[in-house]
Amino acid sequence: MNKKILLLASIFVLAVVAIGSVSAFDLGSLTGGDEGTTVTIGGEEFTIPAGYEENTDLAEDDNVTEYSTFTSTLNEKVFEKGDDFIIIMVSEYDGTDVDDDLINFLHGESKKINDIEGFQQNDDTTFSFSYGKDNKVITVSATQEEVLNQIIA
């Protein structure tokens, strides 16, 4: 009888240890890990890929600029991962319509990313994609072109 109690106690201890090990194990590693973080910038949602950290020193919140015929409100966030970065700017316009001509004037050649039509401009170190949505110009810039596809949805 004492052997049965000892055996049951041992099984109980092993079960507790096993449950503790499983709960401490990162189950996300079985599914590919962290999928990123969702952020809201200027009322628009974006998913920032895993590993990027926000640099709050470079953020712009509701920065209003008045022009002769319209007003723009800029919201901007910067995310960094080593030497790589992501910059997302959302400019809302009051007093003028955001259209393809305005966006094209600001940035590049016509392109479609994830069913969103806009304009892309590249240089030696940065890929930028701009598009219009709800009288806003949204520009996503990154050091890695494939990151644009992850953010723009």
Side-chain angles (χ1 to χ4, degrees):
M1 179 120 150
N2 285 339
K3 287 182 181 182
K4 286 183 181 180
I5 293 174
L6 184 59
L7 179 65
L8 288 175
S10 297
I11 291 173
F12 176 76
V13 168
L14 286 174
V16 169
V17 169
I19 291 171
S21 297
V22 169
S23 66
F25 180 70
D26 179 13
L27 296 177
S29 65
L30 295 175
T31 60
D34 190 5
E35 295 297 319
T37 303
T38 301
V39 297
T40 302
I41 304 169
E44 303 295 327
E45 286 192 355
F46 303 92
T47 300
I48 306 304
Y52 285 87
E53 298 291 328
E54 183 177 356
N55 183 335
T56 55
D57 293 337
L58 300 176
E60 292 280 342
D61 292 315
D62 295 325
N63 185 350
V64 176
T65 303
E66 293 187 21
Y67 299 93
S68 59
T69 58
F70 65 93
T71 302
S72 72
T73 304
L74 172 67
N75 287 282
E76 175 181 60
K77 291 189 185 260
V78 177
F79 303 88
E80 300 170 326
K81 180 172 81 172
D83 291 335
D84 293 329
F85 64 82
I86 299 167
I87 301 171
I88 301 175
M89 297 183 293
V90 178
S91 298
E92 187 166 7
Y93 290 86
D94 183 27
T96 189
D97 289 329
V98 171
D99 60 13
D100 285 347
D101 291 334
L102 172 62
I103 298 167
N104 187 31
F105 173 75
L106 298 173
H107 291 91
E109 55 187 73
S110 182
K111 185 171 181 177
K112 193 177 207 179
I113 296 179
N114 295 329
D115 292 328
I116 296 177
E117 293 188 27
F119 298 90
Q120 186 164 338
Q121 180 180 18
N122 307 327
D123 62 27
D124 292 339
T125 60
T126 308
F127 301 87
S128 296
F129 183 77
S130 299
Y131 60 99
K133 181 180 179 186
D134 300 331
N135 224 39
K136 299 174 185 175
V137 174
I138 300 168
T139 301
V140 179
S141 301
T143 49
Q144 304 292 322
E145 186 171 18
E146 63 272 7
V147 169
L148 296 178
N149 295 319
Q150 296 173 17
I151 296 171
I152 298 166

